[in-house]
């Protein structure tokens, strides 16, 4: 069973410093010890398996990320205000992302009519072509922001999303607050079990 902890607030990192950190991570392949040649797995760091469920009174607002999508459209998180939103960070080069993609696609289709929306963030694909191929291969039925340098991720409160841990997933409540954080690959049943309690909230 994945460890569960309570999310605690932390001091924000200045924007310039955050961008510098992102650049360093991109150059070093996150872990500093890439596990594959360039264009393959990009040295992703295996998820910790940690799940953080945040009590309603302690939740932080998610930033209104938005912009260009992998499929050349436009989307903003605020487009889905009033619904539960699952934000999933992935890269086409990441084996655990490929492993969980079909589960996310299935749950997204099944729960859309119940007030649950999905929004992906594609990161560290420096060209859209492999990201577009990933969308097609797994038939992702939701938009995916194109975020090659991690700028969208850096808008979230410190400690919420990690450029070092991909895939990562957030469940955002109807009020636009971060209710669940996962730093690991998710299967279909576990994903549903994290969404359902947030969806049941009034």
């Amino acid at each position: 069973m994945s460890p569960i902890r309570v999310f605690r607030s932390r001091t924000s990192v200045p924007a310039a410093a955050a961008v510098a950190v992102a650049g360093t991570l991109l150059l070093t392949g996150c872990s500093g010890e890439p596990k594959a040649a360039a264009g393959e797995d990009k040295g992703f760091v295996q998820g910790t398996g940690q799940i953080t469920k945040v009590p309603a009174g302690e939740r932080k607002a998610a930033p209104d990320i938005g912009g260009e999508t992998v499929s050349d459209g436009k989307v903003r998180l605020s487009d889905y205000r009033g619904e539960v939103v699952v934000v999933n960070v992935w890269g086409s080069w990441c084996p655990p992302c490929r492993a969980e993609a079909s589960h996310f696609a299935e749950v997204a289709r099944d729960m859309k009519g119940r007030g649950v929306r999905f929004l992906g963030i594609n990161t560290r694909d420096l060209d859209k072509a492999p990201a577009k191929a990933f969308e097609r291969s797994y038939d992702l039925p939701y938009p995916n922001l194109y975020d090659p340098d991690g700028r969208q991720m850096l808008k979230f409160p410190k400690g919420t999303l990690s450029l070092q841990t991909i895939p990562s997933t957030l469940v955002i409540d109807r009020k636009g607050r971060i209710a669940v954080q996962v730093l690991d690959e998710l299967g279909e049943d576990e994903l549903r079990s994290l969404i359902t309690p947030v969806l049941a909230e009034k």
Side-chain angles (χ1 to χ4, degrees):
M1 179 177 292
S2 300
I4 297 175
R5 68 179 179 87
V6 175
F7 183 80
R8 299 298 182 192
S9 60
R10 300 180 181 177
T11 305
S12 301
V13 175
V19 171
V21 169
T24 301
L25 290 171
L26 288 169
L27 290 172
T28 61
C30 285
S31 68
E33 298 179 359
K35 297 183 180 180
E40 294 178 2
D41 292 344
K42 300 192 184 227
F44 76 94
V45 174
Q46 185 66 40
T48 62
Q50 182 171 281
I51 296 175
T52 304
K53 297 181 179 181
V54 187
E58 299 179 29
R59 294 176 187 169
K60 293 182 178 179
D64 188 20
I65 57 172
E68 183 181 0
T69 67
V70 168
S71 56
D72 304 315
K74 297 283 185 181
V75 69
R76 297 205 71 83
L77 180 59
S78 57
D79 295 341
Y80 306 131
R81 184 58 62 88
E83 298 181 279
V84 172
V85 184
V86 178
V87 176
N88 177 244
V89 182
W90 59 272
S92 67
W93 44 267
C94 160
C97 300
R98 295 194 288 268
E100 72 176 9
S102 60
H103 301 305
F104 276 73
E106 177 64 25
V107 176
R109 288 189 196 92
D110 184 52
M111 301 192 81
K112 183 176 180 179
R114 298 171 57 191
V116 178
R117 303 299 292 265
F118 279 61
L119 176 63
I121 302 177
N122 166 257
T123 192
R124 294 172 60 196
D125 276 309
L126 302 183
D127 186 289
K128 277 190 175 183
K132 287 182 176 182
F134 185 100
E135 279 192 333
R136 289 194 302 271
S137 294
Y138 296 101
D139 194 20
L140 299 183
Y142 48 85
N144 294 277
L145 287 165
Y146 182 57
D147 189 30
D149 57 6
R151 289 178 185 268
Q152 298 289 346
M153 294 172 65
L154 288 169
K155 293 177 182 178
F156 284 85
K158 183 181 178 183
T160 304
L161 288 177
S162 171
L163 286 167
Q164 293 180 308
T165 308
I166 298 169
S168 297
T169 300
L170 301 176
V171 179
I172 298 172
D173 68 20
R174 291 187 182 92
K175 296 181 180 179
R177 304 171 304 176
I178 300 165
V180 180
Q181 173 199 29
V182 183
L183 300 178
D184 207 357
E185 170 190 339
L186 286 172
E188 182 177 338
D189 291 343
E190 191 166 27
L191 177 58
R192 290 180 188 275
S193 74
L194 295 173
I195 297 169
T196 300
V198 181
L199 185 61
E201 295 174 356
K202 302 301 182 183

